[in-house]
Amino acid sequence: MSTDDVKATVRERYGKAARQVTDGAQSSCCSTACCGGASGDPITSNLYTEAETAALPEKAVLASLGCGNPTALAELHPGEIVLDLGSGGGIDVLLSARRVAPGGKAYGLDMTDEMLALARENQRKAGIENVEFLKGEIEAIPLPDDSVDVIISNCVINLSTDKGRVLQEAFRVLKPGGRFAVSDVVIRGEVPAEVRRNMELWVGCVAGALTEQDYQQRLFETGFEAIGIEPTRVYEFEDAMAFLSGTGLDGEALARDVEGRVMGAFVRARKPGG
Ligand SMILES: C[S@@+](CC[C@H](N)C(=O)[O-])C[C@H]1O[C@@H](n2cnc3c(N)ncnc32)[C@H](O)[C@@H]1O
């Protein structure tokens, strides 16, 4: 799998997911073709409280393809600048924007035009002004050094083929003392090589996931401190069967190898100083 192939496939699948929400085809959109997405999906379903979703446009909720609820776990204060890496339909950007008002601002960054259009439409419907959606790649963040208080992200860093670069960019744009507060899929132990090589599972947020150890090590080497990884949802046998279906792999056999080893987790760290 070359970097260009992975990026093109990710962009194409998430563009399709956005179009299906925009056209009203609801969440039959993805199944394993993107990070969860089918209703009842073990990765993306039931991440937000009713109070959170009730205050958002329906299509922001339908487009939710994360694996956690980073804004529920991140500390956010009025006046702060938040950046969401891979903001999709904008759900976490809109939730953050309310928390940092008055005086703060939430940026969403995404490389997929259809997701950006959907996110901007959701912002307009929500009537939230302290938000800006930027087009770009998380490996080259279009913001200046030391300009962000909190980086959030929801199930996106696992999709990158250059995670070292993503972490360096996150470190660069954070202010001294700034927080990294990210939901992501992580692996405990190891998963079989055929899982790692499968493009459907890469686009589905599993194959590219870092191990807990590797994530911690990379954050440390980038310069972060106060690093922690807390599992928020561990995927068991039935969950593994669900994300392995449609991948062309032997679901039942592999589900036994991966059950309990793939999880949604909250990853936190801090840039020194401040
Ligand atoms: C799994 S979805 C998550 C969307 C959103 N965070 C959520 O919770 O609903 C992944 C999103 O990240 C974007 N994405 C993936 N790789 C990216 C990259 N390298 N740079 C920018 N955006 C990327 C995709 O376009 C898609 O909108």
Side-chain angles (χ1 to χ4, degrees):
M1 287 192 284
S2 79
T3 296
D4 288 349
D5 285 352
V6 171
K7 205 161 252 179
T9 308
V10 166
R11 195 181 271 121
E12 186 245 307
R13 297 293 175 85
Y14 286 95
K16 187 171 168 212
R19 281 196 300 280
Q20 282 174 322
V21 172
T22 303
D23 299 345
Q26 288 213 2
S27 50
S28 56
C29 66
C30 299
S31 162
T32 52
C34 56
C35 189
S39 102
D41 179 273
I43 297 182
T44 54
S45 60
N46 303 322
L47 299 173
Y48 298 90
T49 64
E50 250 183 72
E52 285 168 323
T53 56
L56 292 169
E58 191 191 4
K59 286 186 178 172
V61 178
L62 285 175
S64 160
L65 290 169
C67 51
N69 184 349
T71 63
L73 297 166
E75 253 185 76
L76 298 178
H77 307 290
E80 288 189 323
I81 306 295
V82 179
L83 167 65
D84 183 8
L85 300 180
S87 44
I91 186 164
D92 296 318
V93 177
L94 300 179
L95 289 170
S96 306
R98 291 202 170 111
R99 302 252 310 272
V100 297
K105 177 168 179 174
Y107 289 99
L109 173 65
D110 207 287
M111 67 177 184
T112 305
D113 287 323
E114 294 90 333
M115 277 295 183
L116 287 164
L118 177 59
R120 290 182 181 129
E121 180 61 11
N122 286 329
Q123 177 194 354
R124 194 189 61 73
K125 284 191 189 135
I128 298 179
E129 289 188 353
N130 59 334
V131 159
E132 190 175 342
F133 289 101
L134 307 171
K135 180 166 179 177
E137 299 189 355
I138 62 175
E139 296 84 358
I141 299 174
L143 287 175
D145 298 358
D146 302 339
S147 59
V148 171
D149 294 291
V150 185
I151 287 202
I152 60 165
S153 182
N154 200 348
C155 226
V156 180
I157 295 176
N158 67 77
L159 292 168
S160 174
T161 50
D162 194 350
K163 294 170 177 69
R165 184 96 199 119
V166 175
L167 298 183
Q168 280 163 17
E169 280 291 275
F171 190 86
R172 178 184 67 77
V173 300
L174 278 173
K175 297 176 186 172
R179 284 106 67 204
F180 180 88
V182 163
S183 291
D184 208 354
V185 174
V186 300
I187 307 289
R188 180 165 282 173
E190 256 319 324
V191 291
E194 57 204 299
V195 168
R196 289 286 191 195
R197 282 195 301 265
N198 187 281
M199 178 69 98
E200 293 300 310
L201 284 172
W202 190 291
V203 181
C205 297
V206 172
L210 293 171
T211 64
E212 285 173 297
Q213 236 181 351
D214 199 8
Y215 223 132
Q216 276 173 326
Q217 183 68 21
R218 283 167 183 257
L219 284 163
F220 176 74
E221 282 169 2
T222 308
F224 283 101
E225 60 183 22
I227 298 162
I229 300 185
E230 299 156 35
T232 48
R233 185 179 286 181
V234 179
Y235 308 120
E236 301 300 348
F237 180 78
E238 291 302 327
D239 306 322
M241 286 290 286
F243 62 66
L244 285 161
S245 78
T247 59
L249 299 175
D250 180 348
E252 194 157 342
L254 282 173
R256 295 205 191 289
D257 288 334
V258 303
E259 64 176 320
R261 295 188 183 185
V262 184
M263 57 191 78
F266 184 62
V267 183
R268 64 172 92 236
R270 193 175 55 223
K271 179 168 171 175

